[in-house]
């Protein structure tokens, strides 16, 4: 009987919210509800919706209380009140001591704060089209099984925000999944400071097997980490909307989405005044509290206001004054005209916690006391851009070599993500490292002033320091003139097996790195393969795209022609690793797309191959 009553209540709530179902992309003004004044202002409508939703929530609580209390037991209102007050006081004290701020419903922005925030993001001449783009993009995962780990973009503009969050989500799903169950308070923000061994990393991944709970936890942890990084690991500010503060907690499952959609009907941010009326901000100094708040408000961040609210949260976490101090030109809006794209400042803020406008390392002195700002520290996930291949900028080592093999990729108008499943793609080439070690030891013994030769005594010192085991006849040949030339010595090292300290590679790869990268473009576009159609059989399915690329990178120090000669001679010298020999002898024909140019800024001379449609970065 109780279950039936609960189902009837849930059905009634659903029916009450079905008068105008939520639209997936753009929110349009709705007709005035029955019983509401025809000239109802947005503020009055917000308050009315809040009263209606709270009334429904109160009715549900009363029904739950009646079902939970046995009718034969009477309770003293005085004792209940006294006991409840004492328990509440203890709970509040406990929350304050532990830093848990569950009842922190946030505060309004002042008029000056709202004006500064709106002007900083959109400027003074923003169009309604750009405002619509940023007010209609939620932070939601793709429903398509093949791209279920990816965030979907339906509007142009907020891709910089989504791509940055996406990069952190991949970090948690692929490399630190054990962290998803940990919401421990008073834990320093160093979740990505440790690397996993190769055996612990994901060797292959079936993205369709990801659970909704795992994805939600990864999203919460990612948003929380970004906000704390913006707040210098001391605080996170979470921006929400006042009309759903209480009511969202009273519902479960899909009903939360319906409540949020109902509350957001007709709501728009077209001015600083709109922000001030409905925005509420809460500050958290303990991660556990922030994570719980983000978890409770997740339906709001998944709603059409999600991307904008998260950007506002990041800006306020950093502090508006600090954001402006990070920039080279604070007079320009962060959302760029005329298309409303996220600026590099926004992307850098989310990746490294500072709204720097450039991607090089450190600062660049322009003379005359002027300088421009770049990236000042190592980052968890990195950034590559097509603009570097076009010589418009230079990405520094901080962004090129992040802690995890995940990069946001920028083009002229869009942001996407590439990632690897194995951290070894970040390792230096083994033969390049060995060559550097031997050359350093050789140069230390070079007394010729850079002539490139050393004495016999110095040569034996090099052999000892680098643990090179040359046959006696080889040593005699090199020493018969009384000095050893680098070019002759290096040729001997190339012909000496790796087991003896040389560089000869029996696999035939001779230092060539071969690995897989995945490219994810979250903007929903048609499936060009035509393998999936809508029920009508006329229009291709709109979905994000995930492309797997095989990447082959030769060593920097070896000319390609010499590599081919070495590979050929090695492949005919024995029966070892025939499969890899064939791979070197018969490479796949290289394919090209703008993404390849981005990849080559990180791995020079990389050759890429993929199946199906070329990866798109627009």
């Amino acid at each position: 009987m109780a279950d039936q009553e609960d189902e009837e209540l849930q059905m009634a709530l659903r029916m009450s919210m079905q008068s105008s179902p939520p639209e997936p992309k753009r929110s349009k003004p709705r007709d005035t509800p029955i019983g509401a004044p025809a000239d109802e202002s947005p503020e009055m409508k917000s308050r009315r919706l809040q009263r209606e939703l709270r009334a429904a929530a109160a009715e549900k609580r009363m029904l739950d209380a009646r079902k939970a209390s046995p009718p034969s037991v009477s309770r003293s209102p005085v004792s209940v009140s006294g006991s409840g007050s004492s328990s509440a006081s203890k709970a509040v004290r406990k929350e304050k001591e532990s830093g848990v701020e569950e009842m922190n419903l946030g505060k309004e922005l002042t008029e000056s704060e709202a004006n500064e925030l709106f002007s900083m993001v959109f400027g003074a001449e923003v169009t309604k089209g750009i405002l619509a783009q940023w007010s209609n993009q939620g932070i939601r995962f793709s429903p398509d099984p093949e791209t279920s780990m990816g965030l979907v973009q339906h509007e142009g503009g907020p891709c910089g925000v989504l791509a940055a969050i996406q990069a952190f989500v991949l970090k948690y799903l692929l490399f630190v999944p054990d962290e998803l169950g940990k919401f421990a308070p008073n834990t320093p923000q160093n979740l990505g400071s440790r690397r996993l061994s190769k055996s612990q990393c994901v060797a292959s991944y079936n993205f369709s097997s990801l659970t909704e709970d795992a994805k939600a936890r990864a999203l919460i942890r990612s948003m929380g980490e970004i906000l704390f990084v913006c707040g210098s690991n001391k605080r996170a500010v979470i921006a929400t909307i006042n009309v759903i503060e209480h009511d969202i907690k009273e519902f479960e499952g899909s009903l939360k989405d319906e409540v949020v959609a109902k509350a957001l009907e007709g709501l728009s941010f077209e001015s600083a005044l709109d922000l001030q009326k409905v925005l509420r901000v809460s500050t958290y100094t303990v991660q556990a509290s922030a994570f719980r708040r983000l978890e409770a408000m997740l339906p709001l961040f998944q709603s059409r206001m999600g991307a904008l609210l998260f950007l506002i949260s990041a800006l306020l976490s950093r502090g508006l004054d600090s954001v402006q101090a990070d920039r080279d030109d604070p007079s320009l809006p962060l959302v760029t005209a005329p298309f409303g794209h996220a600026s590099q400042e926004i992307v850098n803020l989310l990746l490294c916690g500072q709204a720097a406008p450039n991607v090089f390392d450190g600062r660049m002195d322009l003379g005359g006391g002027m300088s421009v700002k770049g990236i000042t520290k190592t980052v968890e996930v990195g950034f590559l851009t097509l603009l570097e291949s076009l010589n418009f900028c230079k990405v520094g080592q901080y962004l090129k070599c992040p802690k995890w093999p995940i990069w946001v990729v920028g083009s002229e108008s869009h942001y996407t993500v590439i990632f690897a499943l194995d951290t070894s793609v970040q390792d230096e080439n083994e033969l390049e490292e060995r060559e550097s070690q031997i050359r350093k030891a050789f140069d230390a013994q070079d007394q010729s002033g850079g002539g490139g030769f050393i004495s016999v005594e110095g040569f034996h010192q090099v052999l000892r320091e680098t643990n090179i085991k040359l046959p006696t006849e080889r040593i005699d040949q090199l020493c018969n003139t009384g000095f050893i030339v680098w070019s002759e010595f290096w040729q001997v090292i190339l012909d000496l097996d790796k087991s003896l300290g040389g560089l000869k590679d029996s696999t035939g790869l001779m230092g060539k790195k071969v690995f897989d990268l995945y490219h994810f473009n979250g903007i929903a576009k048609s499936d060009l393969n035509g393998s999936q159609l809508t029920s009508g059989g006329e229009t291709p399915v709109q979905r994000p795209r995930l492309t797997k690329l095989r990447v082959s990178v030769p060593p920097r120090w070896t000319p390609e022609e010499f590599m081919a000669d070495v590979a050929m001679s090695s492949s005919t010298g024995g029966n070892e690793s025939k499969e890899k020999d064939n791979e070197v002898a018969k490479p796949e024909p290289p394919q090209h797309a703008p993404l390849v140019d981005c990849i080559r800024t990180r791995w020079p001379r990389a050759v890429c191959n993929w199946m199906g449609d070329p990866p798109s970065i627009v």
Side-chain angles (χ1 to χ4, degrees):
M1 184 64 182
D3 293 340
Q4 183 179 353
E5 291 178 353
D6 187 59
E7 290 178 4
E8 290 175 353
L9 175 63
Q10 299 281 354
M11 184 177 296
L13 290 173
R14 289 193 185 94
M15 292 177 65
S16 71
M17 287 182 264
Q18 284 177 353
S19 58
S20 50
E23 295 188 18
K25 294 184 180 180
R26 297 190 181 278
S27 175
K28 300 177 181 178
R30 304 305 201 268
D31 295 333
T32 303
I34 297 175
D39 57 347
E40 184 179 31
S41 68
E43 187 173 7
M44 291 175 62
K45 181 176 181 180
S46 170
R47 291 177 180 175
R48 176 178 56 77
L49 285 171
Q50 195 170 15
R51 287 196 300 271
E52 291 175 0
L53 291 169
R54 285 181 178 173
E59 182 178 354
K60 182 178 182 297
R61 286 196 299 270
M62 291 174 63
L63 180 62
D64 291 341
R66 285 198 297 269
K67 289 190 287 185
S69 301
S72 59
V73 179
S74 61
R75 301 187 180 186
S76 167
V78 176
S79 64
V80 170
S81 175
S83 173
S85 176
S86 175
S87 300
S89 299
K90 292 179 180 178
V92 169
R93 286 197 300 271
K94 184 176 180 180
E95 285 177 349
K96 287 183 177 180
E97 291 169 0
S98 63
V100 178
E101 304 162 52
E102 298 293 352
M103 298 305 294
N104 183 353
L105 299 181
K107 67 179 185 67
E108 294 183 8
L109 295 176
T110 66
E111 183 178 351
S112 62
E113 288 172 336
N115 285 327
E116 183 180 5
L117 177 61
F118 190 87
S119 176
M120 180 187 299
V121 176
F122 295 114
E125 299 179 356
V126 62
T127 66
K128 288 187 177 180
I130 290 178
L131 290 173
Q133 288 176 204
W134 282 85
S135 297
N136 289 280
Q137 180 59 63
I139 306 173
R140 282 188 172 272
F141 285 101
S142 167
D144 181 63
E146 294 180 16
T147 57
S148 63
M149 83 304 162
L151 301 175
V152 182
Q153 181 186 350
H154 295 289
E155 299 286 346
C159 54
V161 173
L162 294 181
I165 299 173
Q166 178 72 74
F168 279 89
V169 166
L170 288 167
K171 164 193 161 179
Y172 282 100
L173 290 177
L174 298 178
F175 299 110
V176 285
D178 293 342
E179 299 290 347
L180 298 181
K182 299 177 182 177
F183 282 6
N186 302 315
T187 302
Q189 188 69 20
N190 61 353
L191 300 178
S193 61
R194 63 181 179 89
R195 285 185 180 270
L196 301 181
S197 67
K198 186 174 180 179
S199 62
Q200 291 174 298
C201 289
V202 180
S204 60
Y205 214 85
N206 180 11
F207 295 115
S208 62
S209 67
L210 288 170
T211 65
E212 293 300 317
D213 179 66
K215 292 189 294 184
R217 286 177 177 270
L219 180 57
I220 292 166
R221 291 304 295 253
S222 299
M223 293 193 299
E225 179 174 357
I226 292 172
L227 294 182
F228 269 100
V229 169
C230 292
S232 300
N233 293 328
K234 296 177 181 178
R235 69 170 188 171
V237 177
I238 299 176
T240 56
I241 295 177
N242 61 357
V243 295
I244 56 96
E245 284 286 355
H246 294 282
D247 312 294
I248 194 173
K249 300 177 183 179
E250 307 296 335
F251 302 94
E252 296 181 359
S254 60
L255 271 181
K256 285 192 175 185
D257 293 335
E258 296 181 40
V259 169
V260 172
K262 185 79 172 179
L264 296 182
E265 285 181 4
L267 181 65
S268 63
F269 291 151
E270 297 185 358
S271 67
L273 181 60
D274 292 336
L275 281 180
Q276 187 185 13
K277 282 181 179 179
V278 300
L279 204 65
R280 295 295 180 269
V281 295
S282 306
T283 301
Y284 297 86
T285 57
V286 176
Q287 292 177 38
S289 303
F291 290 149
R292 279 191 281 270
R293 178 65 166 171
L294 288 169
E295 184 177 23
M297 292 292 112
L298 189 57
L300 177 59
F301 286 103
Q302 292 173 326
S303 77
R304 64 180 180 85
M305 289 290 185
L308 178 57
L309 286 175
F310 187 76
L311 173 59
I312 291 172
S313 299
L315 293 170
L316 295 175
S317 295
R318 176 63 176 159
L320 301 185
D321 291 341
S322 296
V323 170
Q324 294 295 67
D326 291 338
R327 309 174 67 196
D328 290 339
D329 188 353
S331 65
L332 297 176
L334 291 170
V335 172
T336 62
F339 302 112
H341 299 138
S343 63
Q344 191 65 48
E345 288 106 320
I346 289 177
V347 175
N348 286 349
L349 174 67
L350 301 182
L351 294 183
C352 67
Q354 296 177 340
N358 303 295
V359 292
F360 51 74
D361 291 343
R363 286 173 174 258
M364 184 180 296
D365 188 6
L366 301 180
M370 297 182 61
S371 63
V372 288
K373 307 175 187 74
I375 308 303
T376 61
K377 58 184 179 181
T378 57
V379 294
E380 296 290 303
V381 296
F383 179 78
L384 303 174
T385 176
L386 181 65
L387 299 181
E388 180 174 5
S389 69
L390 301 174
N391 295 318
F392 285 113
C393 66
K394 178 69 175 177
V395 179
Q397 291 302 299
Y398 285 140
L399 289 175
K400 274 187 181 173
C401 303
K403 291 182 180 178
W404 304 103
I406 306 167
W407 295 264
V408 172
V409 175
S411 67
E412 302 97 323
S413 60
H414 189 44
Y415 294 99
T416 56
V417 178
I418 60 170
F419 60 97
L421 305 182
D422 191 338
T423 58
S424 66
V425 303
Q426 291 265 70
D427 296 342
E428 286 295 320
N429 183 291
E430 180 183 0
L431 298 192
E432 290 172 357
E433 284 191 58
R434 182 62 172 159
E435 186 245 1
S436 297
Q437 179 189 18
I438 297 172
R439 183 74 205 219
K440 184 178 179 181
F442 187 94
D443 289 344
Q445 300 298 325
D446 189 350
Q447 303 297 319
S448 65
F453 58 89
I454 60 177
S455 65
V456 172
E457 182 181 354
F459 175 61
H460 285 283
Q461 180 64 27
V462 170
L463 296 182
R464 287 192 293 270
E465 288 181 3
T466 56
N467 197 28
I468 295 174
K469 301 177 178 61
L470 283 176
T472 304
E473 60 272 18
R474 280 288 193 178
I475 295 177
D476 292 341
Q477 289 174 3
L478 287 171
C479 296
N480 62 8
T481 60
F483 58 87
I484 293 83
V485 180
W486 166 256
S487 58
E488 296 178 358
F489 176 47
W490 183 239
Q491 186 59 54
V492 170
I493 297 301
L494 288 174
D495 293 335
L496 184 67
D497 193 83
K498 289 170 62 176
S499 63
L500 300 174
L503 296 178
K504 186 176 181 179
D505 185 358
S506 60
T507 66
L509 292 175
M510 283 303 295
K512 179 180 290 187
K513 292 180 63 174
V514 179
F515 55 89
D516 292 331
L517 288 178
Y518 292 81
H519 176 253
F520 177 74
N521 189 343
I523 197 163
K525 288 190 176 181
S526 298
D527 181 0
L528 301 181
N529 289 324
S531 58
Q532 296 189 33
L533 301 178
T534 60
S535 57
E538 298 177 354
T539 307
V541 171
Q542 299 286 313
R543 66 177 190 176
R545 287 155 295 162
L546 180 67
T547 305
K548 180 180 178 180
L549 300 94
R550 172 56 62 95
V551 181
S552 177
V553 184
R556 291 189 300 268
W557 50 263
T558 306
E560 291 183 14
E561 295 80 9
F562 179 72
M563 281 290 297
D565 292 341
V566 173
M568 186 176 298
S569 62
S570 177
S571 64
T572 57
N575 296 321
E576 302 162 300
S577 303
K578 287 297 184 182
E579 184 177 344
K580 287 193 174 181
D581 288 342
N582 292 334
E583 182 180 359
V584 174
K586 299 179 180 179
E588 291 290 332
Q591 295 170 280
H592 186 265
L595 177 63
V596 177
D597 294 328
C598 296
I599 292 173
R600 285 175 178 166
T601 65
R602 174 61 179 85
W603 293 279
R605 296 195 291 148
V607 175
C608 299
N609 302 93
W610 57 84
M611 297 292 291
D613 298 316
S616 172
I617 57 176
V618 296

